Amino acid sequence: MKLLTKALAATALAAVLSTTAQAKTLVYCSEGSPEGFTPALYTAGTTFDASSHTIYNKLVEFERGSTNVVPGLAESWDVSEDGLEYTFHLRKGVKFHTTKDFTPSRDFNADDVIFSFMRQKDPNHPYNKVSGGTYEYFGGMSMDSLIKDIVKVDDNTVKFVLNQVEAPFIANMAMDFASIASAEYAAQIEKTGNLDMFDQNPVGTGPFQLVAYQKDAVIRYKAFADYWGGKAAIDDLIFAITPDASVRYQKMKAGECDVMPYPNPADIKAMDEDPNINLMQQEGLNVGYLAYNNQKDKFKDVRVRKALNMAINKQAILDAVFQGAGKAAKNPIPPTMWSYNDKVQDDPYDPEAAKKLLEEAGVSDMKTNIWAMPVQRPYNPNARRMAELIQADWKAIGVDAEIVSYEWGEYLKRSSAGEHDTVLLGWTGDNGDPDNFMYVLLGCDAVESGANRAKWCNEEFNDLLVKAKQTTDIAERTKLYEEAQVVFKREAPWATIAHSVVFMPVSTKVKNYKIDPFGGHIFYGVDIDK
Amino acid sequence: MFGFILRRVGMLIPTFIGVTLVAFFFIRLLPGDPILLLAGERGISAERYAELQHAFGFDQPVLIQYFHYLTGLFHGDFGMSMVTRRPVWDEFFALFPATLELSFVAIVIAVVIGIPAGVIAAVKRGSIFDYSVMTSALVGYSMPIFWWALLAIIVFSGWLEWTPVSGRISVMYFFEPVTGFMLIDSLLSDQAGAFESAFSHLVLPSIVLATIPMAVIARQTRSAMLEVLGEDYVRTARAKGLRRVRVVGMHALRNALIPVVTTIGLQVGVLMAGAILTETIFSWPGIGKWMVDSISRRDYQVVQGGLLMIAMMVMLVNLVVDLLYGLINPRIRHR
Amino acid sequence: MSDTTQLIENVSRQSTKAVLKEFWFYFSENRGAVLGLFVFLTLVLLALFAPYITPHDATMQYRDALLVPPAWAEGGNSSYLLGTDAVGRDILSRLVIGSRFSLFVGIVVVVIALVGGIILGLVAGYYGGTVDTIVMRIMDIILAFPSLLLALVMVALLGPGLLNAMIAIAIVYQPHFVRLTRAAVMAERDREYVVAARVSGASSLRLMFLTILPNCTAPLIVQATLSFSSAILDIAALGFLGMGAQPPTPEWGTMLAEAREFILRAWWVVTFPGVSILVTVLAINLIGDGLRDALDPKLKRS
């Protein structure tokens, strides 16, 4: 009977909560479970939030809230005259986490750097095949062909020798896959033979260390007291895994979340009016696009692509899909990025002109499809709805499109194989370099590798990008990229749809949170009132 | 009796083999290459692809793969998740207590409400009570529970703000699992408010999940009771002037419960199907949600291992129900 | 020689009228069943004439009328009786068109499951032995998996979509029909009239379909009705999980899935599709109860 009364009192839950925690605890309602805790193995932002942004450090890091590269585990670095050798001078006195399985006997040094990169580069490395062993970002950023050698100069100096001049290299070193793990810990585990443990019980140098992970429910971290940058302001960091956006909002209102990512656009207005929520916003480093499969005959004529572009009512998409949380896109890179060419004129919304253009191209009764992603992304909060709108727009100029959707992995695979006619997708920047948008998504190499969903290889465009890659002078690179954007617009391999505006509802108790332009969620440097 | 048990268990063997075949080959037939999926949108080199094919054994003939799979099963090896790289067995048992707790509470609710409602409805046949119980049971039985769950969230979490909307317990409480049942663990943890939190998280999903079994049990109990009440010995007892409560309680109910117990046993499959929807909506970290997520992630090995384990569970429960029934009702043993 | 069979069949045909009359007598005694039948027939009419009834085109997006509440609620608009969804489509029109999908799915699933089940059940029951064992073990295997889970995996295998979802559900429902038919056949197989027919030289096919089958229709009809309603529920569940009909098809479960993000903001987009499913399923289940009472006095009590 006592139990029952106790149980009935449970409804007054929210009040109980605030009294249970004495330490400074920040609850982040994350959108999903991490794939694991070794950033190099995975690609999901959710995984990086739970690993590289908390547990690990990189040699160089992005300054929180910006795309500037600042020193991390390396205090400084030099580039040789020919641009092929990067020498990193490592920070001294950096401690690794102490866990129940591992007590570090030494500070961070060059061996850890070499271990972390060679695991990904060398197929004969003992850890190379552990945990599935695909290093997508390492391969995707072409690091294996780029890095010729990694040399330990002394305990605190490491030299990277490159095969060719690659201007974005230093920005790549700040990316998640470049997280540094402990070579000593790896060696200790190797003796036990159970190499999988290395990835399950992570040890890093980062500001937070993992306490417990309950699958699909919660991840707990505590602040690492000996962190080289000083202990984090919060004591405990909790990721409450909450896949449903409306549920996250609900929890936020109930005071069960302090920070939540990816709100429903539909809820933005109410959040803005809520006195307990600080609704932060920033233009995201991303672009949502519709790629025409240029290998299909029906899209080989640029007039067809242009006509379809002109038929799309972007304003309607911004209203219905982004509900105001977006900005129409005209270039393949976002406006916050250097070299964004604001002089480029977007294709106007003009169904009549579009119809005429189609007639000119001799196209009638066109049938096609629109692939719509099954998942919500920052650059496209609801691809299905977007597809429905485009479908209706195209119907108005006599083009019949069928909406196709697959499960996410299947979708990526089939679209990279070029099975689509047109596909909705997008991109969030990895390293803040225009190369990372244009070359990765539209370069000729990417047709083969699959990331170029438009299957579009234009010599003029590609030459400009290759040239920019090999130039270290920013002003000169800017010019090249601006020119590339003009070519892009003229050829219209994509319909550029929108850049999202990232909204981040943060409790007013939370101090000093900054939106990460890369779409990550970073809690070092954040404080909370109790 | 022993022979009966042997026969029943023996009958399970071909079914079990069939189930492993289904789990194994279904998954092989799924479109989408698991290794390419692992590699994601940036693709994978040909050498690397071949290496991984070999590592997973996908380069061997399917029959050999099946053989390895079967031998693995006997060593408790149900494969390894392709997304998280953890053994399927570990993941299953990490999440299973959540499903068990939810289903158990649901079935308790269904029995505690369903049986008395059915009994009273039968005893007061034709009354308003009977009429309303049968109407609600029919509505419950016809309920799309995923919608029912959404409605419950709108009303109880949205409007009334009585219950939380997802998860098993507030993240503020942290204790090592002992039994895996959050209700019990929260009490053992001695943390103030933990039990209340666990309880309030459990209320909505368990009621939603209980809806269909409750309706089925109420209907079944009522008709079983009506049948028994109409039989001679009950009439005799009543004629002898035994009190109504005693007649209903002692004689009729005991006999009526036999088919009801079978019905309850058969709800396991229903509960599993219900758990898929309920867990997905309430973000309940259990087996049902795990399966749905794994299917959509094309995590081959998890779908395969999960399917098999769930089927084994259903078979086991059915076997137990069968044996119990045989124990209660000797006639069936010799069929 | 075959006169005897002929005679038996004639007798059963003559009595058909009387049987129907008796059936209606019992069926109409059950008020719930009659109500269910009435609702169901209304739904069928709605589905048949859907394109003429709907106030709007179900796929038309009124971009100036996004998420308009129902007519009677504050901010409602009488042109959209039940409101509009997130892209401005009229919910009432979508629901009416949606009834076509649900009823169609129900019928197709039941027909596939029924035909397949009858054939397998007849064969298993009539021949017995190895054939019987194999068929029944396969059915056991299907039954070992929770139906929705098996359907989900099958749809994942075949690819999401309405047609594949129907096939998957029909396969999952198969065992119930097989078991019923087989049990009935085994009970009838050695009855006098069957033996008489066999002695008089009737072929196996004739015996199975014309002599035995008509005598086990009652439980099959009841089971078919139950499956009809379950199929509507399951197809909606698959749609809800994103594995059934794909947007923008106005299938009720798919509509619910699309509406989920508005759950705390626009109750009408969530409520009405669910009500439609519930009412339809309820009506069919009411009919099912009535049928059971009317068709099979033995089942009446249970």
Side-chain angles (χ1 to χ4, degrees), chain A residues 3 6-7 9-11 13 16-17 20-21 25 27 35 42 123 128-129 131-137 140-141 196 200 211-212 214-218 220 238 240 242-244 247 250-251 256 407-410 412-414 416 425 427 430 440 449-451 453, chain B residues 31-33 36-44 48 51-52 56 80 83-87 91 94-95 157-158 161-162 164-167 170-177 182 187 192-193 195-197 199-201 281 283 285-286 289-290 293 295-298:
Chain A
L3 267 187
K6 225 178 156 185
T11 46
L13 173 73
V16 183
L17 280 180
T20 50
T25 302
V27 181
E35 297 149 297
Y42 309 109
N128 184 263
K129 288 180 191 63
S131 299
T134 46
Y135 302 96
E136 264 200 67
Y137 264 106
M141 304 306 287
D196 286 342
Q200 277 158 34
V211 175
Q214 281 158 286
K215 189 175 163 53
D216 291 347
V218 61
R220 289 166 200 282
I238 296 175
T242 317
D244 194 287
V247 174
Q250 186 74 8
K251 284 188 163 187
E256 293 175 48
E407 168 277 320
W408 186 219
E410 190 70 7
L412 290 171
K413 191 194 126 201
R414 289 182 188 236
S416 80
L425 210 62
W427 186 260
D430 296 310
V440 168
S449 75
R453 268 28 186 218
Chain B
D33 185 317
L36 288 181
L37 185 75
L38 259 184
E41 58 183 313
R42 281 160 208 269
I44 184 168
R48 192 81 197 175
E51 266 172 38
L52 287 172
F56 283 110
M80 182 172 276
V83 172
T84 64
R85 322 291 312 145
R86 304 266 302 142
E91 294 213 331
L95 298 171
S157 302
E161 298 188 4
W162 282 359
V165 273
S166 86
S170 161
V171 291
M172 285 316 191
Y173 302 102
F174 175 47
F175 36 81
E176 289 295 327
M182 211 46 104
L187 281 178
F195 179 80
E196 284 86 340
S197 177
F199 183 86
S200 65
H201 280 81
I281 294 169
S283 302
K289 183 169 176 295
W290 180 59
D293 289 350
I295 288 172
S296 67
R297 281 198 295 240
R298 300 222 172 277

Side-chain angles (χ1 to χ4, degrees), chain A residues 383-398:
Chain A
R384 281 185 171 161
R385 195 165 298 149
M386 190 185 285
E388 285 169 27
L389 290 165
I390 296 175
Q391 182 186 42
D393 284 337
W394 284 357
K395 199 168 184 184
I397 61 160

Side-chain angles (χ1 to χ4, degrees), chain A residues 85-126:
Chain A
E85 286 184 10
Y86 286 72
T87 307
F88 292 93
H89 304 285
L90 307 184
R91 195 178 293 276
K92 290 180 190 130
V94 173
K95 304 267 185 269
F96 278 102
H97 303 152
T98 301
T99 67
K100 65 182 199 307
D101 309 308
F102 175 66
T103 310
S105 70
R106 62 163 174 83
D107 291 350
F108 155 75
N109 68 23
D111 293 333
D112 301 315
V113 178
I114 290 176
F115 167 80
S116 301
F117 283 93
M118 290 316 276
R119 173 179 180 182
Q120 303 180 55
K121 183 173 167 51
D122 176 11
N124 298 317
H125 191 279

Side-chain angles (χ1 to χ4, degrees), chain B residues 6-47:
Chain B
L6 260 184
R7 229 177 17 252
R8 275 293 139 101
V9 175
M11 271 170 72
L12 277 186
I13 292 172
T15 315
F16 174 75
I17 293 177
V19 165
T20 62
L21 277 170
V22 169
F24 183 83
F25 283 101
F26 248 18
I27 306 309
R28 302 290 127 164
L29 293 174
L30 276 176
D33 185 317
I35 293 178
L36 288 181
L37 185 75
L38 259 184
E41 58 183 313
R42 281 160 208 269
I44 184 168
S45 74
E47 309 91 74

Side-chain angles (χ1 to χ4, degrees), chain A residues 384, chain C residues 235-236 239-240 244-259:
Chain A
R384 281 185 171 161
Chain C
I235 202 83
F240 181 74
Q246 296 298 304
T249 312
E251 194 273 321
W252 295 338
T254 312
M255 285 173 72
L256 268 178
E258 282 190 284

Side-chain angles (χ1 to χ4, degrees), chain A residues 244 246 250 264 266-267 313 316 320 323 382 384-385 388-389 391-393 403 405, chain C residues 59 61 63 66-67 86-87 89 160 242 246-248 258 260-265:
Chain A
D244 194 287
S246 37
Q250 186 74 8
N264 274 331
D267 295 329
N313 183 351
Q323 314 212 3
N382 190 332
R384 281 185 171 161
R385 195 165 298 149
E388 285 169 27
L389 290 165
Q391 182 186 42
D393 284 337
I403 296 175
S405 193
Chain C
T59 51
Q61 303 166 357
R63 306 241 169 117
L66 308 181
L67 288 176
V87 285
R89 291 175 298 210
Q246 296 298 304
E258 282 190 284
R260 243 185 106 182
E261 71 175 271
F262 301 100
I263 171 171
L264 295 172
R265 216 175 134 254

